[in-house]
Amino acid sequence: MADNTLIPKAIELVSQAIREDQAKNYTEAYQLYERSLEYFVTGLKYEKNEKTKETLRRKIAEYMDRAEQLKDAARRGPGATGA
């Protein structure tokens, strides 16, 4: 893949996830975090710059943690977001 278009798509999705998270639309935010992570992880495989790869790994971990918080909160019921 000469041009890694996966990362810009991941950023677009995670930006939407953050907006939904801030608006307390946690189910939608969770789904968007999950979709963005698919793009981030796949895009990471094609990234050649080591510094960018490290930044991506940190952001992936951060977004994965938040997605897990939202997933766990959904299991516990309304009002339990971990925010």
Side-chain angles (χ1 to χ4, degrees), residues 6-79:
L6 297 167
I7 299 304
K9 179 64 175 174
I11 292 168
E12 177 186 326
L13 289 168
V14 84
S15 295
Q16 291 174 16
I18 292 167
R19 283 192 299 274
E20 293 297 330
D21 201 348
Q22 291 170 340
K24 298 184 180 355
N25 298 326
Y26 299 122
T27 301
E28 182 68 19
Y30 169 74
Q31 293 169 350
L32 287 163
Y33 279 120
E34 287 293 306
R35 285 182 53 210
S36 73
L37 286 165
E38 291 174 18
Y39 281 91
F40 274 123
V41 170
T42 304
L44 181 63
K45 294 176 186 176
Y46 294 102
E47 182 57 53
K48 300 206 182 327
N49 182 302
E50 285 303 317
K51 190 171 184 175
T52 301
K53 281 178 134 178
E54 186 53 39
T55 300
L56 286 171
R57 285 186 193 102
R58 283 195 307 271
K59 295 310 273 184
I60 288 168
E62 178 184 324
Y63 299 140
M64 199 172 293
D65 286 346
R66 183 58 182 152
E68 285 298 317
Q69 288 174 353
L70 293 174
K71 183 178 174 182
D72 291 344
R75 286 190 198 130
R76 290 191 306 271

